[in-house]
């Protein structure tokens, strides 16, 4: 966050959180255990302040956090063996490292179609526990794989359990063989307007710029982007650019 928005913006977030939530007035280190209400409130405020128009903000934050923690940060020696089986074994260990004071647990298994990742017994449903974690896990795998990873939700959503397939195939031909696995949702066609908006996203236009170009509101732009992302199973502008590029739709 400091690299993207500057250290003063980061300090300002903590200052304002400390004024409204006394817990944040104490020293916070890498080993601090943050109470759940304060933890979720902090991330809600972070998204509201820095990513007000981004449906995929927590997914992107998870990916950026993984890049920092595993490349430059305290977990850069966490995965010593880059073999796929070792990576899969490390994923549940990493969950318990972050969420050590809850009864929740994660499971990861290597399947023919990719890595099946399941989380059980969340203390509460919050988009952080799903979207941030899936973004983090996807980026962790991409750091060690030459090919990109696609995410396919198999079960869950707004519950205390969810299940994903993280696959190198953007549209896996068959569901994983694990318990309770369900086939990935079939892709739906984009409308002409959704594709038009997505192509502008792919060339780097902001929501405001797209609204000006197409003579529509920013809210309508966000509506089209959200629908396009949902139909295609993508979560970020980078994912949209990759999808467009693979089909020769950029430019």
């Amino acid at each position: 966050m400091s690299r993207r928005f500057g250290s003063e913006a980061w300090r300002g977030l903590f200052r304002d959180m400390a004024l409204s939530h006394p817990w944040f007035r104490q020293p916070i280190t890498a080993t601090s255990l943050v109470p759940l209400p304060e933890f979720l409130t902090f991330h809600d405020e972070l998204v509201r302040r820095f990513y007000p128009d981004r449906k995929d903000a927590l997914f992107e934050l998870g990916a950026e956090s993984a890049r920092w923690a595993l490349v430059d940060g305290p977990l850069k020696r966490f995965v010593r063996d880059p073999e796929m089986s070792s990576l899969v074994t490390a994923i549940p260990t990493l969950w318990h490292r972050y969420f050590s004071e809850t009864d929740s647990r994660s499971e990861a298994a290597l399947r023919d179609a990719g890595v099946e990742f399941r989380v059980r017994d969340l203390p509460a449903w919050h988009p952080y526990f799903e979207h941030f974690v899936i973004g983090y896990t996807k980026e962790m795998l991409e750091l060690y794989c030459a090919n990109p990873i696609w995410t396919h939700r198999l079960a869950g959503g707004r519950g205390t359990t969810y299940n994903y397939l993280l696959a190198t195939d953007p549209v896996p031909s068959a569901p994983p063989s694990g318990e309770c696995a369900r086939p990935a949702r079939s892709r739906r066609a984009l409308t002409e307007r959704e594709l038009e908006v997505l192509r502008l996203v792919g060339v780097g236009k902001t929501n405001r710029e797209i609204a000006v170009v197409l003579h529509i509101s920013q809210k309508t732009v966000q509506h089209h982007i959200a629908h396009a992302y949902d139909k295609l199973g993508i979560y970020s502008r980078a994912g949209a650019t990759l999808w467009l590029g693979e089909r020769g739709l950029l430019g």
Side-chain angles (χ1 to χ4, degrees), residues 3 66-76:
R3 289 175 180 176
R67 283 195 295 273
W68 178 79
L70 295 166
V71 175
D72 301 317
L75 299 179
K76 60 184 177 183

Side-chain angles (χ1 to χ4, degrees), residues 118-205:
R118 181 184 291 120
V119 169
R120 301 179 185 271
D121 301 325
L122 290 171
W125 189 87
H126 187 278
Y128 176 92
F129 289 124
E130 181 174 339
H131 303 308
F132 183 98
V133 169
I134 292 299
Y136 193 111
T137 307
K138 173 183 181 294
E139 186 65 22
M140 177 182 176
L141 293 174
E142 286 198 334
L143 286 171
Y144 293 92
C145 295
N147 41 347
I149 303 296
W150 279 268
T151 59
H152 308 280
R153 181 195 277 154
L154 304 176
R158 293 189 175 275
T160 59
T161 298
Y162 63 80
N163 190 13
Y164 273 75
L165 177 67
L166 295 101
T168 53
D169 183 350
V171 185
S173 57
S177 57
E179 175 189 1
C180 299
R182 301 176 187 174
R185 182 173 51 187
S186 60
R187 298 291 184 259
R188 293 172 287 158
L190 299 181
T191 66
E192 290 185 11
R193 180 61 101 182
E194 287 167 353
L195 180 57
E196 187 177 24
V197 170
L198 202 66
R199 293 183 73 174
L200 291 170
V201 168
V203 296
K205 297 291 185 184

Side-chain angles (χ1 to χ4, degrees), residues 36-93:
L36 181 63
E38 283 80 3
F39 181 85
L40 297 180
T41 298
F42 177 85
H43 283 89
D44 286 341
E45 177 60 19
L46 187 152
V47 170
R48 185 198 68 79
R49 184 172 301 203
F50 297 111
Y51 299 90
D53 300 319
R54 298 293 297 276
K55 179 183 177 182
D56 61 342
L58 283 168
F59 186 91
E60 182 180 325
L61 281 170
E64 291 182 356
S65 295
R67 283 195 295 273
W68 178 79
L70 295 166
V71 175
D72 301 317
L75 299 179
K76 60 184 177 183
R77 295 183 179 85
F78 184 77
V79 181
R80 297 180 180 276
D81 184 352
E83 289 295 325
M84 200 64 182
S85 58
S86 298
L87 288 173
V88 173
T89 301
I91 291 172
T93 305

Side-chain angles (χ1 to χ4, degrees), residues 190-232:
L190 299 181
T191 66
E192 290 185 11
R193 180 61 101 182
E194 287 167 353
L195 180 57
E196 187 177 24
V197 170
L198 202 66
R199 293 183 73 174
L200 291 170
V201 168
V203 296
K205 297 291 185 184
T206 65
N207 287 6
R208 183 190 298 272
E209 290 169 335
I210 295 171
V212 172
V213 170
L214 299 182
H215 305 289
I216 57 179
S217 69
Q218 291 188 60
K219 185 175 181 179
T220 301
V221 171
Q222 183 59 39
H223 173 82
H224 288 312
I225 292 174
H227 275 263
Y229 282 9
D230 183 61
K231 288 180 178 181
L232 299 177

